[in-house]
Amino acid sequence: MAYLFTSESVSCGHPDKLCDQISDAVLDFCLNKDKGSRVACEAFFKGKTVVVGGEISSEANLNEDALRDLILGVLKESNYEPESLGFNFEDINILSLLTRQSPDISQGVDRELDLGAGDQGLMFGFACSETEAMMPFGIHYAHRLMEKHKEVVKVNNYLKPDAKCQLTVLYEGFVPLKIVRLVFSSQHSESIDMEDVKEIIVEDIVKKVIPKEYLDGTEFLINQTGRFVLGGPIADCGLTGRKIIVDTYGGYARHGGGAFSGKDPTKVDRSGAYMARFLAKTVVKRGLAERCEVQLSYCIGRSEPMSVYVDCFNTEKIPVQDIINFINTNFDLTPKGIIETLDLFNQKYLPTACFGHFGRIQTGSFSWERTDTGGGN
């Protein structure tokens, strides 16, 4: 059966992604100073004002100067400068609304011999054989386009940091055949002609990333509203956790609803989703199925998951119940077990905040993307 499926990604300069990066920069700062940090940090960025709020219990000294350094680091790494940002860096106003974690929550999470889930929730992980990264085709290439956009912005004075793209892919069954439409919008300098913007995006980004066999007859829709000079937080507002589909599987797999950025590994919204991806990828890598979706669910203060669900979309090579038994037998799915299996207290989380939390095999640093382990045979 032939059908169309669409996924999108956004650039590191998108206002929501700036906020995700700020939240994860705060998390990394705290964990670097104190591995026992408990962090739930969110950011809001509009105009010249950044609001950082949440609950943090840490020995790290996260004062206003430290926050300012983290925010400026994110902006500069995302290729912002005063022209594209719309104001000078020193004009940023920072409002901190950070408090310590509630003892009513921590009593169920931090226990001497165990670690309870930091909240109730359900998480999904997915893997397939469509791409080398075991990710769906559309979201995989949408992320690669945004990565390339960042590279081009760094050396090109005409494109600016705020951007997004969208790929509509023609499938036959589970096989991607070609990209039917490609939507791409990028902030740009006032001095460049729109035709030149289109040429840079198509020639220097799209055709450098997408294999040409998938661009047969593709309709390119570049900056469809025309002028896009004013971008970033001066034109739009950003908020942590507002791009959860971009962060995961581009809508191609289900999502439990919890955002990732700014949350330490005791929060199963994050660690449970990472483990579910690790499990799904292990199933596909071992040849037990061509596609696999794993759901985990948790209750606050309880260590063992409430349920483990697997769907292989009729591609399984052995009964699905045998796959579930394999998972339950060979993997510790408690929060403590997940943290130890994936070494989550020793990860750097800021790199996850752009271009997807999954399928980033080129970084070599995301432990949940490993396929060289997996417990049992």
Side-chain angles (χ1 to χ4, degrees), residues 78-267:
S78 300
N79 291 323
Y80 273 104
E81 31 74 32
E83 180 191 357
S84 54
L85 190 60
F87 52 87
N88 294 323
F89 291 132
E90 58 267 23
D91 293 335
I92 294 175
N93 303 310
I94 299 173
L95 175 59
S96 176
L97 300 176
L98 296 170
T99 61
R100 292 185 65 83
Q101 185 184 57
S102 164
D104 294 340
I105 295 176
S106 62
Q107 70 177 344
V109 177
D110 299 312
R111 300 200 291 256
E112 185 177 354
L113 298 177
D114 202 354
L115 190 68
D119 200 353
Q120 70 180 49
L122 50 128
M123 307 87 213
F124 287 94
F126 180 78
C128 63
S129 56
E130 289 181 26
T131 60
E132 182 184 359
M134 297 189 187
M135 290 288 286
F137 181 94
I139 189 65
H140 173 75
Y141 280 107
H143 286 323
R144 304 295 78 79
L145 290 174
M146 289 293 94
E147 287 178 329
K148 189 65 175 178
H149 176 268
K150 180 181 179 181
E151 292 178 14
V152 171
V153 170
K154 187 177 290 292
V155 299
N156 184 300
N157 291 325
Y158 295 113
L159 293 192
K160 299 302 177 182
D162 192 359
K164 57 172 46 177
C165 70
Q166 181 175 289
L167 276 62
T168 298
V169 181
L170 174 65
Y171 277 85
E172 181 67 45
F174 292 139
V175 179
L177 300 179
K178 66 177 182 178
I179 298 171
V180 176
R181 298 180 187 88
L182 193 152
V183 180
F184 203 119
S185 298
S186 176
Q187 183 186 10
H188 56 83
S189 70
E190 194 164 13
S191 61
I192 189 173
D193 182 83
M194 191 55 58
E195 290 303 314
D196 292 331
V197 171
K198 294 178 181 179
E199 182 178 358
I200 293 171
I201 290 173
V202 173
E203 299 298 328
D204 295 344
I205 298 178
V206 175
K207 291 185 178 180
K208 300 293 186 182
V209 171
I210 308 292
K212 63 180 181 180
E213 61 266 29
Y214 293 110
L215 294 176
D216 182 20
T218 300
E219 180 183 10
F220 295 104
L221 302 171
I222 311 297
N223 280 33
Q224 280 293 284
T225 59
R227 174 186 168 98
F228 185 8
V229 173
L230 197 63
I234 199 71
D236 195 2
C237 65
L239 185 66
T240 299
R242 202 156 56 180
K243 288 292 178 284
I244 59 176
I245 302 304
V246 170
D247 284 343
T248 52
Y249 306 101
Y252 204 75
R254 284 173 283 196
H255 195 295
F260 301 156
S261 291
K263 296 178 181 178
D264 75 79
T266 67
K267 277 69 171 177

